[in-house]
């Protein structure tokens, strides 16, 4: 995400400084980064993060701050303080919480006649207060991203065995809820709003993902689905949204109806898809933050295919195992009939970021084999 922002603005000759709380980030290696620095973790050292970032904003005379991951939420929590030093286009903290908590936005969606899967509280199921559960079900974290903690449950016996454990993924059960699984294909919609008013959108269908059943799209194609787009627009208008937001829908196989299953109140993993479709979200966010507004953009290019090579590489082995026809999968993976026209992480004119990613992926692979792997704190967020 940060690399997509860096590349978008840098190509427009806008000076960009990149930052992270971990060394060796992709964006710091980009030719479009004028400089980079480290800050304390926004998850475990929140006060240090805020103070350091404000100090760096003043030092580099930055007129716009564009957060991309869950650090967006902490910055929104201290929004008024940051706005004294720089421009931003992000929602208020209470808006973020309303959209981020997966077990809460369903009530607002229901009021707006937006289709959503049924959700159930873990305690209600354990106490026998729920009858006739619609299997298959998904156990999902109330907060967090990247596909961590999501498990499909196909039968009452399997659910009973799972809920009989003291923890799930090493975390207490109050971090999770249960959601009905809608059978269909994943369709994503991303939008930009300014103070409750629509400015831009893009829609795309996931062709492959990592993790393979519940993760971020690694291969996608831009398509329209008016039902999904209208649903997200109604939700964001009701929240008086300011900034970007992305949502995942399942297009039900039988009816073709769009069911809202997830909302990301920040930049999203497939950000490069929108840019490739002619909707340059990073630049539009920059202009709103620096100049106040941008003209609305009513359309995007459809049929555009983009690929996240790093994610596709990570998903290769599990995808091959799941494939019905191994030969057909290998043919489509290596010699696709429709090739991607844009890549999230690889650029011939800016190759170092991808090399940094490869080195980091190798390091994480070694740690995982050593038994030290754990979902990253930037994916686990606990915000209240």
């Amino acid at each position: 995400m940060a690399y997509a922002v860096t590349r978008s603005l840098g190509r427009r000759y806008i000076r960009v400084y990149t930052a992270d709380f971990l060394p060796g980030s992709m964006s710091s290696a980009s030719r479009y980064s004028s400089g980079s620095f480290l800050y304390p973790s926004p998850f475990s050292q929140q006060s240090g993060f805020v103070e350091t970032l404000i100090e760096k904003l003043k030092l580099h005379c930055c007129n716009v701050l564009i957060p991309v991951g869950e650090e967006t939420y902490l910055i929104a929590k201290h929004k008024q303080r940051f706005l004294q030093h720089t421009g931003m286009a992000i929602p208020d903290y209470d808006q973020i919480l309303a959209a981020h908590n997966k077990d809460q936005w369903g009530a607002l969606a229901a009021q707006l006649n937006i289709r959503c899967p049924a959700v159930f509280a873990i305690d209600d199921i354990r106490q026998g207060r729920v009858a006739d559960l619609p299997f298959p079900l998904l156990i999902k974290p109330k907060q967090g991203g990247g596909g961590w903690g999501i498990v499909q449950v196909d039968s009452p016996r399997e659910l009973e065995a799972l809920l009989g454990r003291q923890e799930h993924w090493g975390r207490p059960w109050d971090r999770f809820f249960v959601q009905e699984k809608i059978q269909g294909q994943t369709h994503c919609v991303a939008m930009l709003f300014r103070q409750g008013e629509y400015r831009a959108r893009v829609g795309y269908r996931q062709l492959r993902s990592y993790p393979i059943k519940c993760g971020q799209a690694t291969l996608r194609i831009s398509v329209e689905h008016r039902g999904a787009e209208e649903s997200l627009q109604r939700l964001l208008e009701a929240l008086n949204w300011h900034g970007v937001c992305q949502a995942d829908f399942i297009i039900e196989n039988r009816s073709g109806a769009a069911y809202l299953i997830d909302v990301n109140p920040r930049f999203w993993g497939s950000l490069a898809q929108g840019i490739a479709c002619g909707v340059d979200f990073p630049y539009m966010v920059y202009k709103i933050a620096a100049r106040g507004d941008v003209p609305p953009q009513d359309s995007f290019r459809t049929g555009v295919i983009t690929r996240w090579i790093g994610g596709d590489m990570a998903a290769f082995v599990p995808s091959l195992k799941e494939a019905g026809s191994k030969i057909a999968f290998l043919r489509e993976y290596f010699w696709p009939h429709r090739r991607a026209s844009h890549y999230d992480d690889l650029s011939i004119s800016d190759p170092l970021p991808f090399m940094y990613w490869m080195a980091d992926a190798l390091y994480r692979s070694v740690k995982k084999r050593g038994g030290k792997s754990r979902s990253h704190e930037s994916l686990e967020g606990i915000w209240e």
Side-chain angles (χ1 to χ4, degrees), residues 88-146:
M88 297 189 300
I90 63 173
D92 294 337
Y93 188 60
D94 59 344
Q95 295 172 311
I96 284 177
L97 289 184
H100 183 55
N101 288 285
K102 296 180 174 69
D103 62 333
Q104 294 181 17
W105 48 254
L108 176 58
Q111 294 175 17
L112 299 170
N113 295 318
I114 297 172
R115 291 183 180 89
C116 298
V119 298
F120 309 94
I122 299 289
D123 282 346
D124 287 344
I125 296 175
R126 280 178 158 175
Q127 298 301 321
R129 293 192 288 263
V130 181
D132 300 323
L133 287 167
F135 290 92
L137 299 169
L138 296 173
I139 294 179
K140 302 176 71 172
K142 295 177 181 178
Q143 295 188 2

Side-chain angles (χ1 to χ4, degrees), residues 212-224:
I212 62 172
K213 293 183 179 179
C214 55
Q216 176 183 326
T218 62
L219 187 71
R220 68 297 263 200
I221 182 171
S222 57
V223 294
E224 289 189 307

Side-chain angles (χ1 to χ4, degrees), residues 215-235:
Q216 176 183 326
T218 62
L219 187 71
R220 68 297 263 200
I221 182 171
S222 57
V223 294
E224 289 189 307
H225 191 288
R226 294 307 302 171
E229 293 167 14
E230 290 168 1
S231 293
L232 181 58
Q233 184 165 344
R234 288 203 307 274
L235 182 68

Side-chain angles (χ1 to χ4, degrees), residues 50-62:
V50 172
E51 297 301 328
T52 300
L53 191 52
I54 289 177
E55 177 186 329
K56 294 294 186 180
L57 288 169
K58 293 190 291 186
L59 175 65
H60 295 293
C61 301
C62 299

Side-chain angles (χ1 to χ4, degrees), residues 133-367:
L133 287 167
F135 290 92
L137 299 169
L138 296 173
I139 294 179
K140 302 176 71 172
K142 295 177 181 178
Q143 295 188 2
W148 81 270
I150 300 178
V151 174
Q152 180 172 321
V153 182
D154 296 313
S155 68
R157 179 178 296 181
E158 187 179 347
L159 180 63
E160 182 180 359
L162 196 58
L163 295 185
R165 301 174 185 173
Q166 293 297 314
E167 296 178 324
H168 181 58
W169 279 52
R171 286 82 176 172
W173 277 109
D174 61 8
R175 293 287 310 274
F176 300 89
F177 73 108
V178 175
Q179 185 181 75
E180 173 191 13
K181 181 177 181 179
I182 305 297
Q183 301 294 343
Q185 195 163 27
T186 303
H187 181 91
C188 305
V189 180
M191 287 188 173
L192 172 65
F193 270 66
R194 179 191 176 277
Q195 304 297 349
E197 296 181 352
Y198 166 88
R199 288 295 179 267
R201 78 181 193 280
V202 70
Y204 54 94
R205 184 170 67 245
Q206 290 192 182
L207 303 178
R208 283 199 296 266
S209 63
Y210 180 73
I212 62 172
K213 293 183 179 179
C214 55
Q216 176 183 326
T218 62
L219 187 71
R220 68 297 263 200
I221 182 171
S222 57
V223 294
E224 289 189 307
H225 191 288
R226 294 307 302 171
E229 293 167 14
E230 290 168 1
S231 293
L232 181 58
Q233 184 165 344
R234 288 203 307 274
L235 182 68
L236 297 181
E237 287 172 348
L239 290 170
N240 193 36
W241 202 255
H242 186 63
V244 294
C245 187
Q246 184 264 359
D248 296 336
F249 293 82
I250 295 295
I251 309 304
E252 189 182 35
N253 288 332
R254 293 177 299 175
S255 66
Y259 283 77
L260 177 63
I261 61 167
D262 201 4
V263 180
N264 294 304
R266 53 169 175 80
F267 280 113
W268 56 100
S270 301
L271 175 59
Q273 176 74 41
I275 299 172
C277 294
V279 186
D280 196 336
F281 286 104
Y283 184 56
M284 297 177 81
V285 166
Y286 168 81
K287 289 203 290 185
I288 289 176
R291 304 171 191 172
D293 203 359
V294 292
Q297 186 169 333
D298 293 327
S299 63
F300 59 92
R301 289 197 297 272
T302 58
V304 177
I305 298 175
T306 63
R307 187 180 188 184
W308 171 31
I309 295 179
D312 232 8
M313 290 170 61
F316 175 76
V317 172
S319 296
L320 180 61
K321 290 180 179 178
E322 290 286 326
S325 169
K326 312 298 184 187
I327 295 177
F329 171 78
L330 292 171
R331 183 187 300 115
E332 180 59 27
Y333 189 93
F334 290 106
W335 299 281
H337 67 285
R338 292 182 297 181
R339 291 185 178 276
S341 56
H342 300 269
Y343 299 95
D344 297 17
D345 46 2
L346 178 62
S347 171
I348 300 302
S349 62
D350 191 27
L352 279 181
F354 187 73
M355 295 179 185
Y356 267 53
W357 177 85
M358 289 286 288
D360 182 64
L362 179 61
Y363 170 73
R364 286 186 283 110
S365 177
V366 171
K367 283 190 67 176

